[in-house]
Amino acid sequence: MVIHIDGLLSSAYGWNTINWEAAVGIVKRLQARIVKAVQAGDKRKVRGLQRLLRRSFAAQLLAVRRVTSNRGKRTPGVDGILFNTPAKKWQAAQQLNLKGCRSQPLKRLCIPKKNGSKRPLGIPTMHDRCVQALEKLVLEPAAETTADPCSCGFRCKRSAHDAIEACHNALRLKGSPRWILEADIKGCFDHINHQWMLKHIPAHKGRLRNWLKSGYLERNQFHPTEAGTPQGGIISPVLANMALDGMDALLKKHFKKAQKIHMVRYADDFIITGDTKAVLEHEVRPLIAEFLKERGLELSEEKTKITHIDKGFDFLGFTIRKYKGKLLTKPSKSSVASVKGKIKAIITAGKSTRTARLIDLLNPVIRGWGNYFRHSAAKHTFYRIDHAIWEMTWQWARRRHPNKSLYWIKEKYFRHERNRNWVFKEKNGMVALHKMGDIPVTRFIKIRQEANPYDPDWAEYFKDRARKALMRKLKTKRGRLWMRQHGICPMCRTELDNEEGWHIHHLLPKANGGTDTVDNLVLIHAACHRQIHSLYAINQLPDASRRLIKA
């Protein structure tokens, strides 16, 4: 039995025989049409195209694929159901647009914050997550087209580094503004007005109302939700961004260019620059407060303050400050203390851990923290952290062998490598601890403000930007594979982006004599990897292999 739905090949095997290339093509074409309609100001056409995309089976399949391929795929909601088999995924895709389905309450969890308090996290059921992912496919093209140029948080192809670079560009010159309003919204996700969102956000009103009013279960007790959008829902960041969009246009409308009012926003954290403290205090702050009040939000009195650039301010883990007229961006003291504390906790908990295992636990922390701060003046900080890590590992090694000499301990745990005598390695020397000081410090290239990843006119720009970003990863196996494949998954012929996990697949299995060399490897989506191996059971693997080899 073979059925053709929207050009997608399905069969009795369902999920494992989907033509993902066709599915992505259908969705991208409809999203591009939505962008053009929004740019033309044709609201009626926008609604029609959104309805068409919402009902498309291709979009429903991609929504389920995203939910079942991300990090939360093993976390169920209040119903305890997971979509962990191909049959369940196929069935879920067919049931996304059923009428009369109501959202179930969220499962409330609390995760600790740096300041000791707890952040509430609402986890929807798998079905509700899939419906939200479908609505996000529909809503995001319009949201990206109408978004504030200064907004960088929770947006496709943008990151915290874009926000930091925007701060650098606004403050680096001699004649740049000297005062900064550091703003913090009090409980942004928890207090956005539901009526405002239902009136102004162009989403499916019935579904949006169900999500907002679904309530949550905490310790088996139901609590209604009268305001806010839950942290943990797939569509929540898009809704929050759309609620805050418009601040930049409001500032440009009320202030002249000579007043040097610039705004940089990352989700609900933002800064506003100004030439004088009085303008920020008596004009900008009341204007922003009034803007937020319409949406049920308010500024935090404790965390909102005005700072001079010579004193510096912290933003997204960085400290931005002018030293004798020169602007420098460095890791903040709290960020340095945080990573040192995390490394110390790992080493303390691993007092009896094997050397190789301890190194495997430490390397991702060292590499991840260093890569986040590598686009700042962080080289001296990297060396200081390396020295602190050496002191911790030396103390760890001495504790394990209290009756051995220091020379014996040094020879056992620390090796000579190039011009270094204290490289922490396991006995056979195959696994070594990363040095944060080896991470090169480079300037980050900020994304162009008007760039839209859903607009076909910007396709070449984003492709070239992704290629340049991966050039620095050529030393890694994944980086070389990505460059070889031009950033395309050879199984589904779609982009290898950060929405889903990546797997390395052996063209010739190791059991059949395959090797780990680059010539025998391809980089593919996690979902595509599972699909390839499922083809063993229906004797279609040769076709898939030929397709990969041809790529």
Side-chain angles (χ1 to χ4, degrees), residues 121-407:
L121 192 68
I123 302 176
T125 62
M126 291 291 285
H127 178 268
D128 288 341
R129 269 179 265 174
C130 291
V131 178
Q132 288 187 21
L134 174 61
E135 193 64 27
K136 185 179 179 183
L137 288 173
V138 174
L139 186 60
E140 205 164 33
E144 282 290 332
T145 308
T146 59
D148 281 347
C150 65
S151 172
C152 300
F154 300 124
R155 291 182 61 191
C156 186
K157 306 296 184 181
R158 284 167 168 81
S159 67
H161 297 113
D162 288 296
I164 296 299
E165 191 64 19
C167 292
H168 187 87
N169 292 339
L171 299 166
R172 63 189 175 88
L173 299 177
K174 186 176 180 180
S176 295
R178 299 168 295 169
W179 294 92
I180 299 95
L181 171 65
E182 302 176 62
D184 184 86
I185 301 174
K186 189 176 181 179
C188 177
F189 279 84
D190 298 329
H191 297 100
I192 303 176
N193 186 276
H194 284 178
Q195 293 303 318
W196 188 93
M197 283 194 285
L198 289 169
K199 183 178 179 181
H200 293 92
I201 293 180
H204 189 286
K205 302 302 181 184
R207 289 180 178 177
L208 182 57
R209 185 179 294 105
N210 280 340
W211 296 329
L212 298 177
K213 301 293 185 182
S214 61
Y216 63 91
L217 286 177
E218 188 172 20
R219 297 178 181 178
N220 295 323
Q221 186 175 358
F222 177 78
H223 301 270
T225 48
E226 301 299 332
T229 177
Q231 297 187 54
I234 288 178
I235 202 171
S236 295
V238 181
L239 299 178
N241 264 335
M242 296 190 76
L244 297 176
D245 283 338
M247 277 193 283
D248 188 55
L250 183 67
L251 292 172
K252 289 178 179 178
K253 178 181 177 181
H254 282 78
F255 297 98
K256 298 178 180 179
K257 191 174 182 180
Q259 293 175 287
K260 302 176 184 179
I261 303 294
H262 303 289
M263 181 178 181
V264 180
R265 180 167 68 85
Y266 186 89
D268 58 336
D269 294 328
F270 61 93
I271 63 108
I272 301 174
T273 67
D275 200 35
T276 64
K277 184 177 181 179
V279 170
L280 293 177
E281 181 69 39
H282 302 298
E283 297 183 44
V284 173
R285 184 167 178 170
L287 188 65
I288 295 298
E290 186 64 27
F291 175 89
L292 295 175
K293 187 177 179 180
E294 295 178 9
R295 292 149 176 81
L297 303 172
E298 61 178 346
L299 292 172
S300 171
E301 294 295 332
E302 301 81 16
K303 298 180 181 179
T304 301
K305 55 187 178 181
I306 298 175
T307 312
H308 196 276
I309 189 60
D310 290 342
K311 185 179 178 181
F313 64 97
D314 290 350
F315 188 54
L316 301 179
F318 294 84
T319 294
I320 303 174
R321 179 181 174 186
K322 270 189 176 180
Y323 299 84
K324 296 181 180 179
K326 183 176 182 180
L327 185 72
L328 291 180
T329 303
K330 297 181 179 181
S332 67
K333 292 181 179 179
S334 60
S335 298
V336 174
S338 176
V339 73
K340 285 183 179 179
K342 190 172 184 179
I343 291 170
K344 184 177 181 180
I346 293 173
I347 294 175
T348 303
K351 291 178 180 178
S352 58
T353 305
R354 293 183 297 107
T355 308
R357 176 57 181 164
L358 182 65
I359 292 173
D360 287 340
L361 292 172
L362 290 175
N363 276 345
V365 177
I366 296 170
R367 187 169 54 244
W369 195 91
N371 284 337
Y372 180 76
F373 289 100
R374 71 186 182 274
H375 299 303
S376 63
K379 202 65 173 180
H380 181 65
T381 304
F382 288 171
Y383 288 139
R384 287 194 292 110
I385 293 175
D386 280 337
H387 181 71
I389 294 172
W390 174 84
E391 289 181 330
M392 295 178 200
T393 52
W394 176 244
Q395 184 64 31
W396 175 87
R398 288 186 62 186
R399 182 192 174 279
R400 292 168 70 93
H401 306 283
N403 298 323
K404 295 291 186 179
S405 69
L406 299 182
Y407 178 80

Side-chain angles (χ1 to χ4, degrees), residues 7-136:
L8 312 174
L9 177 62
S10 66
S11 68
Y13 299 102
W15 188 261
N16 288 328
T17 55
I18 294 171
N19 185 346
W20 291 112
E21 183 181 357
V24 172
I26 292 169
V27 171
K28 281 191 172 182
R29 285 192 293 273
L30 284 171
Q31 288 178 328
R33 291 175 66 189
I34 291 173
V35 169
K36 297 299 182 185
V38 172
Q39 291 172 344
D42 192 342
K43 294 183 179 180
R44 184 175 180 180
K45 188 174 182 179
V46 171
R47 289 194 297 270
L49 290 170
Q50 287 181 328
R51 191 183 307 113
L52 187 62
L53 180 56
R54 193 179 291 117
R55 294 176 179 177
S56 167
F57 190 54
Q60 295 168 37
L61 290 171
L62 287 176
V64 175
R65 170 172 164 165
R66 175 177 178 179
V67 171
T68 56
S69 298
N70 61 20
R71 294 181 179 179
K73 62 184 178 183
R74 296 186 181 91
T75 305
V78 293
D79 57 0
I81 295 175
L82 291 175
F83 297 159
N84 51 5
T85 65
K88 290 180 180 178
K89 296 173 187 177
W90 180 257
Q91 185 179 11
Q94 295 176 314
Q95 295 178 346
L96 288 192
N97 274 332
L98 292 181
K99 293 184 178 180
C101 290
R102 294 191 60 84
S103 299
Q104 296 191 54
L106 307 170
K107 181 168 71 173
R108 173 64 68 92
L109 297 176
C110 291
I111 56 177
K113 296 170 69 174
K114 289 183 179 180
N115 59 8
S117 61
K118 292 187 176 181
R119 185 192 306 276
L121 192 68
I123 302 176
T125 62
M126 291 291 285
H127 178 268
D128 288 341
R129 269 179 265 174
C130 291
V131 178
Q132 288 187 21
L134 174 61
E135 193 64 27
K136 185 179 179 183

Side-chain angles (χ1 to χ4, degrees), residues 520-539:
N520 190 47
L521 302 175
V522 288
L523 193 63
I524 58 177
H525 291 116
C528 293
H529 200 196
R530 289 191 294 270
Q531 186 176 23
I532 289 173
H533 285 281
S534 69
L535 295 178
Y536 277 109
I538 55 178
N539 297 320

